[in-house]
Amino acid sequence: MRKVAIIGVGVEGFRPAIRDLSYKEMVYRAAVKAYTNADIDPRKEVDTFISCEEDFSMGTSITDEYAPDQLGGAQRSVQTITGDGIQGMAAAYMQIATGMFDVAVVEAQSRISDMLTPNQIQHFALDPIFVRQFNSTHHSIAALEKQAYQHAFGVSDEIIAEVAVKNYRNAILNPIAAYGMNASKEDILETEIISAPLREGEVAEHADGAIVVVMASEDIIKQKNVTPVWVKGISYATNTPNVETRDWKTATYAKLCADRAYKMAGITDPKSQIDLFEIDDTYAFKELQHLEALGIFSFGEAAKALADGKLERGGDLPVNVSGGVLGVGNGHDVNGLQRVAEIVDQLTGEAGKRTVSGAKTGLAFSWRGVPTTAGALAILSVE
Amino acid sequence: MKVRGTKLSHDEFMNKVISVDHHPEIEYAWATGIAISKFLEGLKQGKIYGAKCNDCNRVVCPPRIFCEECFSPMVEYVELPDTGVVNTFSLAYIRTDASRREKPEIPAVIDIDGTTLTPSGFLHLLDENISHDEIKVGMKVKAVWKPENERTGSITDIMYFTKMEE
Ligand SMILES: [Zn+2]
């Protein structure tokens, strides 16, 4: 099968609320940047458009009907995937690799500020017969998981707070991040309890924004003046929707994703073959839990690596140099493309002061959030 | 005419089979952005705005900040007349809650005068007092506005379109 690469990324946002642009205008601005970077005319050179969005997030049923115009996809092949942007990239990858198409565009966006009742919409994702009958916030599902994780592996609240400290600090240098700040461990631990053991400071705040990614076949790349970031491995997996039968301690979905993507990319030792990691940290403990599920550390060991400074930008295994979901802001279905955008910036020399020197290969992992056990993973490389 | 299906009473539907109810309280407030805000502000003043693409030279209504045909930015607003032509229409007897109207509502797509290349405009209502026989595709119509002090910057600031005297 043909090789596939990312040839351009465009970002609009992220800001806590984008009220001065409509969602179409926000996506248009991201799209123009992506097409400029990719040296592509969307009206002539793009074969397939993939928009990742959910009806309930957008507030319109059959919302995919409204996706084409702002992407340059009017009267063209457009599809919607109700999932994370990396799931959209997986579809684009397959469409290009098979030889059906040469250039694909993937878009995901977040318009949380258009929702006046975001908690209701998250609550609406819970099983209606069992879980939704109780009135605790959806964050309680994450709290149950944090409790199980901490109990199983003896990971303290203090070290989990350090994940938030690191990611909020990293976000200061990221122009697309909405929540860069210097917060101390104490600051995080003093924030209000949402659902014990989960505190407000370790939960990613919502943000609005859009990301457009252009992907192309190796045949097209030969004709263009672009730096290709090759998609070496891509995967997505779901564990189970049932809260009764899921594994609360280890993020099984992340392991399932990693097993597939490592095999595809020929990764046998992720720690030495991957230079930087962008990993879902919608809840601070998730960064550690995900790193372990991805096989970077054994269970309970990610906390030690964090304490030793290994996950810092200058450490052996930089994690969430972008600021992660905590720092950039929780954009739900666009979170995966936030992770991808950072890796593309890093590998193409566009990361400025955030640069991880010598990085050639990066891993982006996204989780679809409460109450899912669904993840998506991309391994990207300039080699 | 025989209607297909089997009628179930409310009691049969809700109480004879075990089911679980949920009534979500979900609300949205969509930011209308640059171009549509301009359009809605215009309606408040009794004006209909469009936008012109300086690349493909078409004038569209409602306005937008980009041309979906050539993907160029659209930066020029144009004030259009509040008249147009019926592109298509229907006599609608059933409301969203499935109840029946005696006198139909008349949704119609209005192509606003002054839009070019492919005519454009929006869906609105026709005057319910026009005799149904007179309503035709291609009929010239004019907006009937709410009094200025009742306009809120909404598509309903135009009450309906009525037939223009030739
Ligand atoms: Zn144009």
Side-chain angles (χ1 to χ4, degrees):
Chain A
M1 282 197 296
R2 299 193 298 176
K3 286 167 71 182
V4 179
I6 294 170
I7 60 168
V9 177
V11 181
E12 180 64 26
F14 284 77
R15 290 188 262 148
I18 295 182
R19 302 303 287 166
D20 50 342
L21 300 172
S22 69
Y23 77 92
K24 290 182 183 175
E25 292 167 350
M26 179 183 78
V27 168
Y28 173 71
R29 288 166 66 129
V32 168
K33 293 173 203 173
Y35 301 146
T36 305
N37 289 334
D39 185 26
I40 280 278
D41 176 350
R43 301 300 290 148
K44 298 195 179 101
E45 295 174 275
V46 175
D47 305 307
T48 171
F49 296 84
I50 299 166
S51 170
C52 303
E53 54 193 32
E54 294 236 18
D55 291 357
F56 273 104
S57 306
M58 299 304 295
T60 304
S61 50
I62 325 181
T63 191
D64 52 309
E65 276 294 289
Y66 300 91
D69 289 6
Q70 54 272 25
L71 286 173
Q75 293 122 29
R76 309 291 293 282
S77 301
V78 181
Q79 68 178 113
T80 294
I81 285 180
T82 52
D84 184 89
I86 295 178
Q87 288 173 303
M89 280 179 54
Y93 181 95
M94 291 186 272
Q95 291 177 15
I96 296 169
T98 54
M100 282 294 287
F101 298 113
D102 276 313
V103 180
V105 164
V106 180
E107 169 259 319
Q109 63 173 306
S110 160
R111 291 293 291 193
I112 312 290
S113 73
D114 284 350
M115 297 178 197
L116 298 182
T117 51
N119 286 347
Q120 287 282 346
I121 289 167
Q122 296 246 270
H123 188 67
F124 205 48
L126 303 173
D127 178 280
I129 296 168
F130 294 101
V131 188
R132 209 190 297 168
Q133 297 296 323
F134 307 108
N135 200 22
S136 311
T137 143
H138 60 279
H139 291 311
S140 297
I141 301 288
L144 293 168
E145 195 172 5
K146 184 186 174 195
Q147 184 89 270
Y149 174 72
Q150 288 184 286
H151 180 78
F153 305 117
V155 179
S156 70
D157 274 353
E158 282 71 19
I159 195 70
I160 288 170
E162 293 287 5
V163 173
V165 169
K166 168 178 71 75
N167 294 353
Y168 290 134
R169 190 179 58 231
N170 282 347
I172 294 172
L173 291 180
N174 187 355
I176 75 159
Y179 297 105
M181 63 180 131
N182 273 312
S184 67
K185 179 179 73 180
E186 289 70 28
D187 292 336
I188 304 295
L189 292 172
E190 281 167 15
T191 57
E192 222 166 283
I193 298 261
I194 290 177
S195 184
L198 204 60
R199 291 176 179 79
E200 201 180 338
E202 49 187 313
V203 180
E205 289 276 357
H206 296 306
D208 287 351
I211 300 184
V212 173
V213 172
V214 184
M215 294 164 69
S217 67
E218 55 187 323
D219 307 332
I220 288 290
I221 289 160
K222 283 175 197 147
Q223 307 159 21
K224 295 267 171 196
N225 181 26
V226 290
T227 310
V229 175
W230 301 104
V231 180
K232 296 279 184 163
I234 194 155
S235 62
Y236 48 93
T238 298
N239 181 12
T240 171
N242 302 320
V243 298
E244 297 79 7
T245 56
R246 65 177 55 174
D247 167 17
W248 289 91
K249 303 181 289 295
T250 63
T252 306
Y253 53 93
K255 182 181 181 333
L256 295 170
C257 285
D259 288 347
R260 290 167 196 173
Y262 291 166
K263 190 175 169 201
M264 183 175 168
I267 302 269
T268 49
D269 179 14
K271 242 172 160 166
S272 71
Q273 290 173 276
I274 298 168
D275 305 310
L276 83 154
F277 301 82
E278 284 285 319
I279 303 291
D280 176 88
D281 60 331
T282 304
Y283 301 92
F285 78 95
K286 278 279 179 190
E287 177 172 303
L288 305 175
Q289 189 199 34
H290 285 149
L291 283 168
E292 292 160 6
L294 296 172
I296 314 303
F297 302 103
S298 44
F299 294 118
E301 297 297 313
K304 292 194 184 68
L306 175 70
D308 294 344
K310 288 184 180 158
L311 311 188
E312 298 286 339
R313 185 171 61 251
D316 294 346
L317 298 158
V319 178
N320 289 329
V321 174
S322 68
V325 181
L326 282 164
V328 180
N330 186 359
H332 297 260
D333 290 332
V334 71
N335 288 351
L337 297 188
Q338 283 179 1
R339 312 277 71 70
V340 166
E342 176 66 15
I343 289 181
V344 169
D345 269 359
Q346 290 285 349
L347 303 186
T348 55
E350 299 288 334
K353 288 182 180 170
R354 304 192 308 285
T355 300
V356 173
S357 56
K360 301 273 187 243
T361 301
L363 183 155
F365 176 73
S366 193
W367 166 57
R368 292 210 67 215
V370 167
T372 79
T373 56
L377 192 156
I379 296 168
L380 306 173
S381 179
V382 283
E383 284 189 323
Chain B
M1 190 190 79
K2 195 173 186 303
V3 178
R4 284 169 297 175
T6 307
K7 280 191 175 168
L8 284 177
S9 69
H10 184 78
D11 178 59
E12 283 169 327
F13 195 88
M14 297 303 290
N15 302 323
K16 296 288 189 290
V17 175
I18 298 170
S19 64
V20 172
D21 284 11
H22 180 67
H23 303 279
E25 289 164 24
I26 294 177
E27 291 176 44
Y28 299 90
W30 300 277
T32 48
I34 299 167
I36 298 301
S37 297
K38 173 81 181 175
F39 180 73
L40 297 175
E41 284 289 320
L43 293 178
K44 208 170 174 177
Q45 299 157 23
K47 294 174 181 173
I48 295 177
Y49 279 107
K52 181 165 184 266
C53 175
N54 287 323
D55 275 334
C56 64
N57 274 324
R58 57 185 199 130
V59 174
V60 297
C61 180
R64 51 213 79 166
I65 66 162
F66 57 88
C67 174
E68 74 273 21
E69 290 295 339
C70 66
F71 215 59
S72 300
M74 274 185 166
V75 288
E76 196 182 327
Y77 293 105
V78 205
E79 196 183 324
L80 297 168
D82 66 349
T83 57
V85 170
V86 172
N87 178 316
T88 181
F89 69 96
S90 174
L91 306 178
Y93 284 92
I94 307 290
R95 298 186 185 88
T96 10
D97 67 0
S99 63
R100 196 165 184 90
R101 289 175 172 275
E102 284 303 309
K103 196 173 174 187
E105 187 173 77
I106 314 172
V109 172
I110 313 295
D111 291 339
I112 296 296
D113 289 339
T115 57
T116 58
L117 295 185
T118 315
S120 56
F122 40 85
L123 185 144
H124 216 289
L125 300 177
L126 291 183
D127 184 349
E128 289 179 21
N129 294 317
I130 309 174
S131 147
H132 294 171
D133 299 340
E134 286 184 54
I135 306 172
K136 296 271 183 314
V137 168
M139 182 172 80
K140 286 180 159 302
V141 290
K142 183 172 173 56
V144 177
W145 297 82
K146 278 183 183 166
E148 196 170 352
N149 60 1
E150 288 175 27
R151 291 182 211 143
T152 58
S154 156
I155 192 72
T156 56
D157 288 352
I158 295 172
M159 292 188 289
Y160 51 81
F161 282 78
T162 195
K163 191 181 177 188
M164 264 171 91
E165 297 310 322
E166 306 278 329

